[in-house]
């Protein structure tokens, strides 16, 4: 059967701003003129693999079979989860060739739109073996895709070239709502490219840029992302974990947050922010009416920074719902101040404090909040217990994104208590 032009193979045109020297592998250069599939995604995958002489992965075949069953039940908003870090069943990690075929399956064509109605879909391929070569051709396919809403690439070493291909794709794609390229070894060039593209793109609502490979002490990433936040009024969720952000960079972001009226979830965990950065953030919280979740975990705000935040939360801000100050070298004074702010602030419902320096006053303060019902046990990472008449706090497995890097051996990986940030600010299920 002759395929229509819309079903042809990857386009030869290089995406704007993307490197043009990537060699074309045989599996992508061949003509994509396979016969139209006669069954579900499982059959389509099998036919594409046979056409390209590509190895058929039993794990992918199994996942697509489950999706076919969900489609038969009339479900929508389906996520293809082929993550490479699943230890509950044997997994052969996805390569660039496999990723290209998966993107072909999700590509906007009559088969998907008319036959199976796969809408508002997601693709989770974290922790696999996808490099910039696989990303380059997948990005071309995604330029015209209208069904894929969420893409999670976490942990694939696509590096700067791969990041540039995705940034170029976002100049054209108008349906993707959430993109996770955290821990992908992005470079400064691709981080700047994402920031530049998002000054114009009004579709992306969630972006994860965790742990890029940055050099120098100029904090350029915060300068460009801060400029983007001033212009963009669509982005809801931004992750900047491990960006080497210091107080100057935090000021850049805070200056932008005075003008931004869309961002609800800000993640600046694992940086080098101290009490001076909290002066800027506390001032923002006195006027900002959109921020609902802030992750400050693994910084060093200490008592002074906690006091600045508690003052803003107690007397001004009535929007913030969740705050994480895990491992910030905060002692009893600052922790008690944060607990006191919850007594006057009716909106703040989630607070995470483990990894700081608890004293008797801290343990009693948070025990009282929990026992009074002001702080629900699922909304914090500590649980009080009494030994010999003294109150102590034990750690529990709750957090804003507890299961971002790993999944539990049993139980629900995406429970609201373990991933409270994504529950409070939902942009895409499981992503």
């Amino acid at each position: 059967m002759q395929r229509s032009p819309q079903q042809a193979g990857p386009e030869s045109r290089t995406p704007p701003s993307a490197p043009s020297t990537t060699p074309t592998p045989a599996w992508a250069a061949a003509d994509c003129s396979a016969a139209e599939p006669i069954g579900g995604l499982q059959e389509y995958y099998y036919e594409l693999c046979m056409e390209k002489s590509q190895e058929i992965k039993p794990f992918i075949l199994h996942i697509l079979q489950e999706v076919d069953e969900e489609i038969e039940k009339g479900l929508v908003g389906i996520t293809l989860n082929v993550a490479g870090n699943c230890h509950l069943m044997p997994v052969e990690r996805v390569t660039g060739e496999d990723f290209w075929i998966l993107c072909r399956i999700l590509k906007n064509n009559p088969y998907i739109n008319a036959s199976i109605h796969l809408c508002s879909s997601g693709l989770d391929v974290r922790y696999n073996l996808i490099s910039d070569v696989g990303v380059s051709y997948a990005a071309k396919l995604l330029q015209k895709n209208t069904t894929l809403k969420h893409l999670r690439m976490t942990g694939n070493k696509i590096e700067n070239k791969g990041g540039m291909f995705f940034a170029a794709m976002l100049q054209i794609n108008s349906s993707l709502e959430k993109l996770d390229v955290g821990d992908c070894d992005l470079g400064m060039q691709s981080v700047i490219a994402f920031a530049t593209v998002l000054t114009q793109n009004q579709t992306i609502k969630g972006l994860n840029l965790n742990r890029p490979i940055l050099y120098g002490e100029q904090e350029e990433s915060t300068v460009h992302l801060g400029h983007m936040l001033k212009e963009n009024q669509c982005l809801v969720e931004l992750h900047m974990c491990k960006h080497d952000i210091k107080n100057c960079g935090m000021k850049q972001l805070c200056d932008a947050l005075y003008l931004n009226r869309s961002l609800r979830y800000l993640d600046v965990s694992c940086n080098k922010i101290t009490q001076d950065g909290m002066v800027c953030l506390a001032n923002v919280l006195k006027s900002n009416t959109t921020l609902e979740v802030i992750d400050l975990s693994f910084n060093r705000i200490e008592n002074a920074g906690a006091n600045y935040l508690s003052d803003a939360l107690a007397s001004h801000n009535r929007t913030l719902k969740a705050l994480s100050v895990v491992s910030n070298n905060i002692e009893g004074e600052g922790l008690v101040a944060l607990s006191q702010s919850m007594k006057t602030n009716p909106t703040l419902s989630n607070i995470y404090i483990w990894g700081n320096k608890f004293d008797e006053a801290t343990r009693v303060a948070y025990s009282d909040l929990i026992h009074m019902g002001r702080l629900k046990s699922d909304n914090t990472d500590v649980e009080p217990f009494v030994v010999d008449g003294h109150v102590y706090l034990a750690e529990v497995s709750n957090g804003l994104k507890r299961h971002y890097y790993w999944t539990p051996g049993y139980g629900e990986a995406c429970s609201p208590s373990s991933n409270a940030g994504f529950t409070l600010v939902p942009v895409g299920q499981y992503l």
Side-chain angles (χ1 to χ4, degrees):
M1 180 183 294
Q2 183 68 34
R3 296 181 66 127
S4 64
Q6 287 82 5
Q7 293 172 296
E11 302 169 14
S12 60
R13 180 171 60 85
T14 302
S17 304
S20 59
T21 58
T22 304
T24 302
W27 51 267
D31 177 40
C32 296
S33 55
E36 185 158 315
I38 58 175
L41 295 181
Q42 196 177 190
E43 286 79 9
Y44 193 21
Y45 171 69
Y46 182 85
E47 289 178 7
L48 281 174
C49 288
M50 294 297 291
E51 178 193 353
K52 301 301 174 190
S53 301
Q54 175 69 21
E55 179 187 358
I56 297 173
K57 299 290 179 67
F59 176 60
I60 296 178
L61 207 60
H62 172 73
I63 295 298
L64 293 178
Q65 180 183 359
E66 291 182 343
V67 172
D68 282 334
E69 292 172 357
E70 291 181 345
I71 292 170
E72 288 180 5
K73 296 175 183 177
L75 300 178
V76 296
I78 297 170
T79 295
L80 279 173
N81 187 345
V82 286
N85 63 340
C86 177
H87 59 274
L88 302 181
M89 62 185 300
V91 173
E92 187 172 359
R93 296 195 172 184
V94 172
T95 63
E97 294 93 332
D98 300 319
F99 185 51
W100 182 83
I101 288 179
L102 287 173
C103 288
R104 285 288 304 173
I105 292 173
L106 289 173
K107 186 175 183 287
N108 182 26
N109 59 50
Y111 172 70
I112 286 181
N113 282 345
S115 301
I116 64 174
H117 307 289
L118 183 61
C119 64
S120 189
S121 61
L123 178 59
D124 185 348
V125 289
R126 56 189 158 146
Y127 302 107
N128 281 295
L129 302 175
I130 302 168
S131 66
D132 61 299
V133 177
V135 167
S136 66
Y137 295 98
K140 291 178 183 178
L141 292 176
L142 291 175
Q143 285 178 352
K144 297 181 180 181
N145 180 278
T146 59
T147 59
L148 191 68
K149 301 297 182 182
H150 311 111
L151 175 59
R152 186 170 184 179
M153 292 291 300
T154 322
N156 290 283
K157 305 310 178 186
I158 67 174
E159 300 183 340
N160 199 62
K161 277 188 177 180
M164 293 297 291
F165 284 124
F166 273 136
M169 177 267 293
L170 292 179
Q171 290 182 301
I172 301 173
N173 181 283
S174 60
S175 61
L176 195 67
E177 295 180 358
K178 189 165 184 179
L179 176 63
D180 186 339
V181 285
D183 299 276
C184 287
D185 289 359
L186 301 180
M188 180 62 77
Q189 183 186 15
S190 55
V191 171
I192 293 174
F194 276 115
T196 303
V197 167
L198 289 185
T199 59
Q200 302 296 325
N201 184 297
Q202 296 298 310
T203 307
I204 289 288
K205 297 179 181 178
L207 180 65
N208 189 321
L209 295 174
N210 286 352
R211 203 190 67 80
I213 305 300
L214 306 177
Y215 300 97
E217 299 294 326
Q218 301 301 315
E219 299 188 71
E220 289 182 67
S221 66
T222 58
V223 174
H224 291 277
L225 289 169
H227 174 71
M228 178 271 293
L229 288 174
K230 292 179 182 179
E231 302 291 329
N232 185 294
Q233 299 300 322
C234 178
L235 193 68
V236 172
E237 176 187 328
L238 177 62
H239 297 267
M240 297 179 64
C241 174
K242 301 179 183 177
H243 267 245
D244 202 26
I245 299 173
K246 305 178 185 67
N247 293 325
C248 181
M250 191 64 192
K251 185 179 185 303
Q252 294 278 353
L253 295 176
C254 289
D255 288 345
L257 291 174
Y258 283 110
L259 302 176
N260 184 279
R261 288 295 177 267
S262 66
L263 195 70
R264 296 167 57 197
Y265 188 161
L266 176 63
D267 176 6
V268 288
S269 58
C270 302
N271 283 293
K272 299 178 180 179
I273 305 167
T274 68
Q275 56 181 291
D276 292 339
M278 292 304 98
V279 174
C280 302
L281 182 58
N283 289 332
V284 167
L285 289 176
K286 292 177 181 178
S287 59
N288 183 282
T289 58
T290 55
L291 279 173
E292 296 180 7
V293 179
I294 298 178
D295 192 348
L296 292 166
S297 307
F298 303 100
N299 282 283
R300 199 177 179 85
I301 70 172
E302 301 182 320
N303 279 346
N307 285 326
Y308 292 134
L309 291 177
S310 63
D311 289 343
L313 293 172
S315 57
H316 296 86
N317 185 277
R318 291 297 182 269
T319 308
L320 195 70
K321 297 178 180 179
L323 174 67
S324 177
V325 290
V326 169
S327 297
N328 263 274
N329 201 38
I330 306 173
E331 298 175 346
E333 176 192 342
L335 294 170
V336 170
L338 288 172
S339 73
Q340 293 296 323
S341 69
M342 294 194 72
K343 293 181 178 179
T344 57
N345 185 322
T347 309
L348 185 63
S349 60
N350 297 54
I351 189 165
Y352 305 94
I353 62 170
W354 187 259
N356 292 294
K357 300 177 181 179
F358 300 162
D359 59 7
E360 183 74 20
T362 300
R363 298 192 292 266
V364 171
Y366 285 88
S367 176
D368 288 346
L369 284 177
I370 294 171
H371 287 144
M372 291 186 324
R374 173 60 188 88
L375 179 60
K376 295 181 179 179
S377 58
D378 284 344
N379 295 349
T380 186
D381 57 351
V382 294
E383 181 179 9
F385 65 98
V386 179
V387 176
D388 295 334
H390 293 280
V391 177
Y392 296 91
L393 297 176
E395 183 183 21
V396 292
S397 186
N398 296 332
L400 293 179
K401 49 182 175 60
R402 187 83 177 192
H403 294 151
Y404 176 74
Y405 289 103
W406 61 281
T407 55
Y410 63 91
E412 179 59 51
C414 299
S415 65
S417 60
S418 298
N419 295 309
F422 302 126
T423 302
L424 293 170
V425 182
V427 175
Q429 189 177 25
Y430 307 138
L431 290 175

